[in-house]
Amino acid sequence: MTWDNSLVGRSVLVTGGSRGLGREMGLFLAKAGVKLCFTATKKSEKFVKTLQEVTDILGHNNVFADIVDVCNPEAMERLAFLCEEKFSRIDVLINNAGKGITGPLEEIPEEELKSIFETNYFGPLKVIKAVLPAMREQRSGLIINVTSIAGYMGLPYRSAYSATKGALGLTTEALRMELKEFNIKLTNVAPGDFATNIASGRYHAPLKETSPYKENYGKSLALMDEHVDHGEDPQKMGKAVYSIITEKEPKVH
């Protein structure tokens, strides 16, 4: 493909960038010549492999990676500071870090409901707040929130997940208007099913023998995993965010 030279040297921060969609977006943008910051929640073989791959493409001076918890505001402020220190600015934030959750709402423990909102909703807001001061000062920036097609509809046994993604999508719409005067743009990317390992990291409410939801919940779990296994090529997300970043006026959705 023909690359847009305007991306060369622009700095991009991708949360949850060591695996799944985050990894594919980071690799695709690295090939376009950006300066790449990416995060992971823990140091793993996938983190090390991804770091090596993007470093092979961009060189050590154009890559920064860190192990952070997006739910920790102090960690997010430190991350933004380090990325700005490394690359002088942050041009694009891709809020990708998140996790899944399934189960009958009646049977999902309250602490798990709070946890999924902390990761999928409040976490991205903490990252946004960390990068906004620099973006306002430079009077430019693009924030891409990775939501989900599930955020546009309530799906059975995925109610909590749909709620978190729907909330982030609506917040993006409102914040887009608040930040317009600072020339900071926001957009949602709402993927459907992609062939990634997201299912392995989900919280699954136990499939109880005594549950009144046992039969339908069991069928839904099997169907969800099948959809992921036969999902789209995750490289398509790389192409999608590349197109958004190169648009002069990206759409809100």
Side-chain angles (χ1 to χ4, degrees):
M1 65 177 292
T2 302
W3 297 103
D4 188 327
N5 290 331
S6 68
L7 262 65
V8 175
R10 293 177 70 181
S11 61
V12 179
L13 168 58
V14 184
T15 64
S18 67
R19 61 186 179 89
L21 295 181
R23 164 188 156 80
E24 295 302 330
M25 289 186 283
L27 281 171
F28 197 92
L29 294 174
K31 293 172 185 175
V34 305
K35 295 179 178 180
L36 182 66
C37 296
F38 75 91
T39 75
T41 55
K42 62 181 178 180
K43 189 171 183 178
S44 63
E45 290 183 10
K46 290 180 180 178
F47 174 82
V48 173
K49 181 181 179 182
T50 302
L51 177 57
Q52 185 60 59
E53 286 181 294
V54 295
T55 301
D56 288 345
I57 297 169
L58 294 169
H60 288 283
N61 292 334
N62 294 318
V63 179
F64 176 79
D66 202 2
I67 308 296
V68 294
D69 178 4
V70 296
C71 299
N72 184 324
E74 290 79 17
M76 288 303 96
E77 290 173 7
R78 173 180 172 275
L79 174 69
F81 171 80
L82 292 174
C83 289
E84 292 161 26
E85 187 177 51
K86 176 86 172 178
F87 301 133
S88 300
R89 57 192 289 131
I90 297 175
D91 294 302
V92 181
L93 163 64
I94 302 177
N95 249 331
N96 169 71
K99 63 181 182 181
I101 185 171
T102 64
L105 184 63
E106 184 181 355
E107 296 179 359
I108 298 175
E110 186 174 347
E111 60 268 23
E112 293 296 340
L113 293 173
K114 291 179 178 178
S115 176
I116 195 69
F117 266 92
E118 189 64 33
T119 300
N120 288 3
Y121 181 69
F122 293 109
L125 297 191
K126 290 180 175 69
V127 188
I128 290 172
K129 289 182 178 182
V131 302
L132 277 182
M135 286 186 172
R136 271 201 319 275
E137 185 175 348
Q138 67 200 30
R139 297 196 69 80
S140 67
L142 171 63
I143 297 169
I144 299 174
N145 288 327
V146 179
T147 55
S148 171
I149 192 171
Y152 292 100
M153 63 191 82
L155 298 175
Y157 309 110
R158 298 184 71 182
S159 56
Y161 183 78
S162 290
T164 63
K165 293 301 187 177
L168 184 58
L170 287 174
T171 300
T172 304
E173 291 183 6
L175 191 56
R176 178 183 170 100
M177 291 181 276
E178 292 179 18
L179 297 177
K180 184 176 181 180
E181 65 174 302
F182 306 111
N183 195 35
I184 300 171
K185 300 176 174 62
L186 285 91
T187 190
N188 285 318
V189 177
D193 289 313
F194 280 83
T196 69
N197 60 350
I198 186 173
S200 64
R202 283 190 189 129
Y203 169 81
H204 293 291
L207 192 60
K208 300 176 182 178
E209 287 295 327
T210 57
S211 171
Y213 305 99
K214 178 180 179 294
E215 184 177 354
N216 283 338
Y217 177 37
K219 290 178 181 178
S220 293
L221 274 179
L223 193 60
M224 286 179 218
D225 291 342
E226 181 183 341
H227 285 170
V228 170
D229 291 341
H230 296 89
E232 296 281 352
D233 183 346
Q235 291 186 25
K236 288 187 176 181
M237 273 293 284
K239 294 179 182 179
V241 296
Y242 174 84
S243 297
I244 293 167
I245 295 170
T246 53
E247 283 281 342
K248 288 186 178 180
E249 294 296 333
K251 297 177 182 178
V252 65
H253 296 298

